Amino acid sequence: DVDGTIIKLQSTNEKPILDLPPDCGFHVFVSHVWSTGQDKSHMIVEKLRKYLPGIKVWIDVECLTNTGSLESSVGASAVIIIMYTDLYFESKSCRREVYAAVRSGRPTIVLYDGEDG
């Protein structure tokens, strides 16, 4: 697109095909701690949706209906993004999400901007 809001593959100049693996309901699971990572995580989700229309993102404020389902939600996502901020590992839910990501074997991306708190 002229305004540059759509990511295109360099090799084909086409939009990426966002097919999901058969065992996934989401392209991306975004893990963050509310107290220090919520704003940054929402900004990332906003950018993903802007530049990759059609991407399915799991983020707690939109998708979480039961904290007991965190592990299955991680497992139902093709890629895990961890927004690592101050106090991240103080959160039991965040630790559960990390353990689930490791157990799932899904690609995991850790984002850290270098700021504390």
Side-chain angles (χ1 to χ4, degrees):
D1 288 354
V2 176
D3 66 0
T5 59
I6 304 295
I7 291 177
K8 293 186 178 180
L9 301 173
Q10 184 176 1
S11 59
T12 64
N13 201 34
E14 297 292 326
K15 296 176 187 176
I17 298 169
L18 295 177
D19 291 343
L20 282 168
D23 60 340
C24 292
F26 296 92
H27 295 101
V28 179
F29 180 101
V30 179
S31 176
H32 66 282
V33 65
W34 280 32
S35 60
T36 59
Q38 191 165 10
D39 291 342
K40 292 173 186 175
S41 296
H42 285 267
M43 182 188 68
I44 290 165
V45 170
E46 180 183 308
K47 297 293 184 190
L48 285 170
R49 289 178 174 155
K50 177 179 180 179
Y51 295 117
L52 289 169
I55 192 169
K56 294 180 180 177
V57 179
W58 192 103
I59 188 158
D60 55 5
V61 296
E62 296 175 6
C63 302
L64 183 64
T65 57
N66 175 358
T67 58
S69 66
L70 284 174
E71 289 83 358
S72 61
S73 297
V74 170
S77 301
V79 176
I80 315 305
I81 295 177
I82 295 172
M83 185 66 228
Y84 178 67
T85 56
D86 192 39
L87 304 177
Y88 180 86
F89 284 106
E90 299 296 318
S91 164
K92 182 178 178 180
S93 293
C94 289
R95 291 193 308 270
R96 287 174 52 203
E97 293 164 2
V98 169
Y99 297 143
V102 170
R103 281 192 304 271
S104 74
R106 303 274 192 222
T108 302
I109 301 165
V110 178
L111 300 178
Y112 174 67
D113 70 1
E115 293 182 15
D116 290 335

